[in-house]
Every structure is written in C-alpha cells, then in structure tokens.
Amino acid sequence: MRTRRGISYKKPNNMCCDKRRRDDNIMGEKMIRSRKRLKSSSATPVATVSGQCDFLDTLPDDIVLFILAKLGATAACPADFVSVLSTCKRLKALGVHSIVLSKASPKAFAFKSENWSESAHRFLKQCSDAGNIEACYTLGMIRFYCLQNRGSGASLMAKAAINSHAPALYSLAVIQFNGSGGLKTDKNLRAGVALCARAAFLGHIDALRELGHCLQDGYGVRQNIAEGRRFLVQANARELAAGLSTTPSALMSGNWLTCNPLPHLRHGNMVGPRCPLLSDFGCNVTAREPHPSNRFLTDWFSDKVLSSGLRLCSHAGCGRPETRKHEFRRCSVCGAVNYCSRACQTLDWKMRHKMECTLANTWVDDGDGEDNGNVNYDDGMVV
C-alpha cells in the first residue's frame, strides 16, 4: 500500500514466496496426473505428460473386459493369457474378472506338470469359481488323481457334468465302472452306463465306443449285440470324420484310404502319429490330440513312482492311475498292459498293442469257462 510518504509496508519475505510457488507446482503436477485417466466427452484420447496419446485409457471397462474375454477364449497356451495380464495394472485387475475367467479356453490353463505351483492351483480355482466348466473338469481331474483329493475332485467333475460337459461325464463313468477312490464293492455299473449314454449323446467318441462294448457284452446293461455293434461303427465313423476335419489335406491326398485291408499287419507301415481306427476297412486317420487334463496326468506320473502294486493306464493319451490294486483291466494274452476302460483298450490295441502283443490271435480262458477276448479284469470281472 502506498501513501503520500512512500511505502508504508515491508516487502514480503522471499521464503514465503518460494513456499507458495512450490505448493502451486505440486498442485499443478497432481492435476496433470489426474487428467491422464480422464475420459474426454468427445471420445478423443487425452494427451499424457510425454505428449503421447494413451488410447487404452479412453476405453471404458466394459469394452476392455470384452476384449480380454475374447483373448482368453482364443489363448493357445497359458503364456498368451499371462503376458496380457502383466502389461499394466489395469489389465491385471480386469483380467481376473469373473467374466474373463469364465470364457478362458482350456489351453489358457493347460499347465505343464513341471510348472505346477500354488499360484497355478489358485488360478484354476478362480476360473472354476467363475463358472468355467473346462477349469472345473481340469482341476477335478488333477485333484482326484494327482493330489489324491478324491471328494473335491469328484465334486468339481460333477459340477462340470451337470453343465453337460461330455469329458466330465465320461470320466465319472470310468470312475463308476472301476470304483475308483473306493473299494471293489463301490462299483456302480448302471450309473457308469447312464453317464456313458449321456456323454455319447453329447458327441463324446470314447463314451460312444464304451457304450457299444457294454451293450455287446451285457456289462451293466441288458445285452444287445446288434445295437452295440452299431454304436461301435458310429464311433469309428465319427473318429474318421474328426480326423479328416482336423487335417483336410489328407482328404484331398487320399492318404487316409489305403489299399491294404490290414495295414497294421505289415511291418513298417505305421509311421508317425497315425491311428488306424478303421484299419480293418482300409482307413488310416491321424490320432486325436488328448485333452489337456489327460496330458497333465501323463506328464505328472511319468517321473513319479506309484505305490506298490498300482499301475497306469497303458494308453498313451489317458494317464489315469489306479487308486487300488487290480483296479484296471489287463491284457488276457500277454498281461503286460493295463487299461482303465474298453475305449482306451480299443485305441491302444489299434495304435500299438496289436503289433506288440504275443499270441495276439489266441483267445484264453480266465478259468470261469468263458472266453475273454483281449482284455479282462484282474479281480475276475470279465469285459
């Protein structure tokens, strides 16, 4: 304030001005940082401090969730999904949303056995809690067979089966046929046949093949040889159609159709991952890729020693172990291979064992006066 005699007040202290200036700078920086995450009304990207435009920040959460759900549904391996979550904090937070986890593909959580950890277990549990049916089935198989948590594993597989998951229905049928996780008296053949029928209705090829054998042999159901053979032919036809759909080039080249009616009997004919499921009719198709859960079981037990007297299913695409002694079927000719189901026995017989089994054309008697064919139960139950 000036007066006629000059300045009547002292000039302000420099320290106060510096403090006020610092406070203004701090407030300005806070406003800039908060402005980075604002969505403009015109849907145009907001400029960041470095002058670049962050287009991701302009998207609402609903659109980001939709994009992440599509990425999870098309992931070819766990790394594809995890790499997206590790991009930024926002994607990491939205990536574990129930909408995203419920749409994740089976390959997104197809962990290898050597990479199994508590975090992988927790991620699978989050996916199953979000309603992912494949995660329920995969975690159920791992808990039932690998972690030996029978009750929890069976509950998760039942949760997937209720939602019409065909592999879960078939796995529960195998458990019922063998009485897995319990005693020999815990077998429930009728329940196994019912589960197989439901899985076969949903298009599961192994369940259709198992149901055909049950009808042929009268195992858990009234014997109907004609109907059983019809189901077996349908299973082979579906196997052929699935093989040609995955490799359409084979249809054009004609490699699936061979002139030799029994190509598996010719030495050196089987080269590569071929499965002559219709070899008796001159057809040779590519073997199906096993389910991620079966591949996990195979890798898990490949370097582990089972308890005394327990064995693994000899089919390379299965991986199921016995839960008690003499639970699985064994070859009645050589006695060197074991199978958890007739479907696994049929696949392994066509792919490998038919060329390795000694006296493969010999039919033996297990002592009860009836011919067994190729496989019988160790505990006396003939298939």
Side-chain angles (χ1 to χ4, degrees):
M1 178 178 180
R2 284 185 172 274
T3 62
R4 294 178 180 177
R5 296 182 181 179
I7 299 174
S8 60
Y9 298 102
K10 295 181 179 180
K11 292 182 178 182
N13 193 356
N14 292 332
M15 295 180 62
C16 296
C17 294
D18 294 340
K19 183 178 180 181
R20 190 180 298 110
R21 192 177 296 110
R22 286 197 302 270
D23 294 341
D24 293 341
N25 293 336
I26 293 174
M27 291 298 296
E29 292 176 358
K30 289 182 178 179
M31 291 179 64
I32 292 175
R33 284 197 297 267
S34 62
R35 195 180 296 117
K36 287 172 58 181
R37 300 304 300 271
L38 291 178
K39 277 66 175 183
S40 61
S41 59
S42 60
T44 57
V46 181
T48 60
V49 178
S50 60
Q52 299 178 352
C53 296
D54 192 349
F55 291 93
L56 180 62
D57 290 334
T58 64
L59 297 176
D61 290 345
D62 294 341
I63 296 180
V64 178
L65 286 174
F66 178 79
I67 295 173
L68 290 176
K70 286 293 185 180
L71 289 175
T74 57
C77 62
D80 292 346
F81 189 70
V82 175
S83 60
V84 175
L85 302 185
S86 60
T87 304
C88 64
K89 291 183 178 179
R90 187 186 184 196
L91 293 182
K92 183 178 181 180
L94 295 177
V96 294
H97 195 277
S98 60
I99 296 178
V100 179
L101 297 180
S102 63
K103 302 295 183 181
S105 67
K107 295 182 179 180
F109 39 77
F111 302 102
K112 295 182 178 180
S113 60
E114 59 266 20
N115 298 331
W116 181 254
S117 61
E118 186 61 32
S119 59
H121 193 173
R122 185 166 55 251
F123 177 73
L124 265 177
K125 182 66 167 58
Q126 289 177 339
C127 292
S128 62
D129 292 341
N132 192 310
I133 306 304
E134 285 287 349
C136 290
Y137 172 64
T138 303
L139 184 59
M141 290 283 285
I142 293 174
R143 285 186 176 179
F144 189 89
Y145 289 107
C146 299
L147 306 182
Q148 298 184 6
N149 191 345
R150 314 293 187 194
S152 177
S155 298
L156 287 171
M157 284 189 280
K159 180 180 177 181
I162 291 174
N163 290 274
S164 299
H165 188 266
L169 287 165
Y170 176 68
S171 295
L172 290 176
V174 173
I175 292 175
Q176 293 294 334
F177 281 137
N178 297 324
S180 301
L183 302 175
K184 175 184 172 182
T185 55
D186 293 330
K187 294 180 180 181
N188 192 335
L189 305 184
R190 290 181 178 273
V193 171
L195 291 168
C196 264
R198 177 60 179 168
F201 175 77
L202 296 174
H204 197 273
I205 299 174
D206 291 340
L208 183 60
R209 183 174 287 114
E210 187 78 22
L211 183 61
H213 285 296
C214 289
L215 286 170
Q216 265 195 331
D217 303 330
Y219 189 67
V221 67
R222 181 178 297 179
Q223 189 176 21
N224 191 334
I225 297 177
E227 192 72 10
R229 287 179 178 175
R230 186 175 69 86
F231 283 159
L232 292 177
V233 172
Q234 285 185 5
N236 287 337
R238 291 186 183 183
E239 193 82 48
L240 176 62
L244 294 179
S245 63
T246 55
T247 56
S249 60
L251 183 62
M252 302 300 297
S253 62
N255 293 333
W256 63 279
L257 187 61
T258 61
C259 296
N260 184 13
L262 294 175
H264 48 270
L265 298 180
R266 187 170 57 190
H267 180 70
N269 185 72
M270 289 275 298
V271 179
R274 292 286 178 176
C275 179
L277 294 173
L278 297 180
S279 56
D280 294 338
F281 306 99
C283 299
N284 189 25
V285 298
T286 305
R288 287 179 295 137
E289 183 180 358
H291 193 275
S293 60
N294 295 105
R295 189 162 54 246
F296 184 93
L297 294 181
T298 303
D299 297 338
W300 179 275
F301 292 106
S302 62
D303 57 349
K304 290 180 173 58
V305 179
L306 296 177
S307 301
S308 177
L310 299 184
R311 306 162 298 183
L312 289 173
C313 180
S314 298
H315 177 43
C318 179
R320 290 181 176 89
E322 287 183 325
T323 60
R324 68 175 188 279
K325 292 183 179 180
H326 309 302
E327 177 183 341
F328 288 170
R329 304 164 177 87
R330 63 180 174 85
C331 179
S332 58
V333 178
C334 65
V337 291
N338 318 279
Y339 302 106
C340 65
S341 63
R342 284 296 298 264
C344 285
Q345 181 266 332
T346 303
L347 289 172
D348 193 62
W349 175 257
K350 293 285 189 180
M351 291 175 62
R352 178 185 62 88
H353 191 57
K354 194 169 188 176
M355 296 180 293
E356 299 176 355
C357 185
T358 58
L359 300 177
N361 296 324
T362 302
W363 293 62
V364 299
D365 188 356
D366 69 339
D368 57 0
E370 296 180 359
D371 290 335
N372 291 345
N374 181 253
V375 175
N376 67 352
Y377 275 114
D378 279 352
D379 51 19
M381 293 296 295
V382 180
V383 183

